[in-house]
Each structure stands twice: as C-alpha cells, then as structure tokens.
Amino acid sequence: QVQLVESGGGLVQAGGSLRLSCAASGRPFSNYAMGWFRQAPGKEREFVGAITWSGDTRRYADSVKGRFTISRDNAKNTMYLQMNSLSPEDTAVYYCAADRSYWGPRDEYDYWGQGTQVTVSS
C-alpha cells in the first residue's frame, strides 16, 4: 500500500507562484512513477504532469508547459509541483498519484491522494 498526502495549496494572485508537495509512505518511494492531476468544478479530472521514478524524465500537459515543473526527492519520499505564472484557469483541486508500472497522462495510477485546493484570483 502507498499513502499519498498533498499539501501546499491555497489562494494566490494571478501571475504568482505556488509549490505543492506530495508526501508518500508505505512502500519504497523510489520504485514508483508519480503524476499530478487536477479537477475544476464541473470539469473532468485532467492530467498535469508526471515524473519517472528516477526523476530524470518528465512530461507535462500542453496547458502547463513552461509554467509548471515537477520534481521529486526520494530521500524525503516527496514529489513537488512548482507552479509559476498562475492564472484563474489553474484553479482546481490538485491530486498526486503513484504507480509502480504506469507512467503517463491517463488517470490509471494505482494510488491517489485526497487533493489540495488551489485558487488563483484575478
């Protein structure tokens, strides 16, 4: 079992920055690929980005490329999402996910956190 807990969400002004964290426990963290998803009210959950277990390969949704950066610190069992140049369209609940075998944009990860709210004011 893998338990994931997101943190770092909150209210930020448009154009500002925010860093989300996802702390993992229960299994060897370094063996899992991880991803970030988000869901806005009335919208389907959408892919934000993902990172391999080694942390040397990343992929991002087109909507966040150049603004968001995913990183991980396996020694701390934590994945991060650095969000820059935020706009109101980024407002959503952000979820982290982990999987031992899957790495990609579909929401097929085995483990999910409960989410953290990010609100960007205009």
Side-chain angles (χ1 to χ4, degrees):
Q1 291 289 332
V2 173
Q3 294 176 311
L4 305 174
V5 180
E6 303 94 338
S7 63
L11 177 65
V12 65
Q13 296 178 341
S17 299
L18 201 64
R19 189 180 76 163
L20 305 183
S21 298
C22 175
S25 63
R27 288 290 188 90
F29 181 76
S30 62
N31 291 334
Y32 288 80
M34 302 188 72
W36 285 99
F37 292 78
R38 66 186 183 185
Q39 187 169 24
K43 304 293 184 180
E44 295 183 354
R45 181 176 295 180
E46 65 174 344
F47 173 74
V48 174
I51 187 169
T52 60
W53 66 268
S54 64
D56 59 357
T57 305
R58 305 170 178 85
R59 66 183 298 173
Y60 301 94
D62 290 340
S63 60
V64 305
K65 287 181 179 178
R67 299 189 298 120
F68 291 10
T69 302
I70 295 175
S71 62
R72 66 190 296 167
D73 186 340
N74 289 344
K76 296 182 178 180
N77 293 331
T78 303
M79 175 180 65
Y80 304 96
L81 179 66
Q82 178 65 47
M83 304 183 292
N84 299 325
S85 301
L86 287 164
S87 65
E89 66 185 23
D90 295 314
T91 295
V93 176
Y94 283 71
Y95 300 88
C96 65
D99 199 284
R100 187 171 178 83
S101 60
Y102 179 73
W103 182 84
R106 298 190 297 275
D107 58 347
E108 299 179 354
Y109 293 80
D110 288 337
Y111 305 98
W112 295 84
Q114 294 301 305
T116 185
Q117 177 70 48
V118 172
T119 302
V120 184
S121 64
S122 60

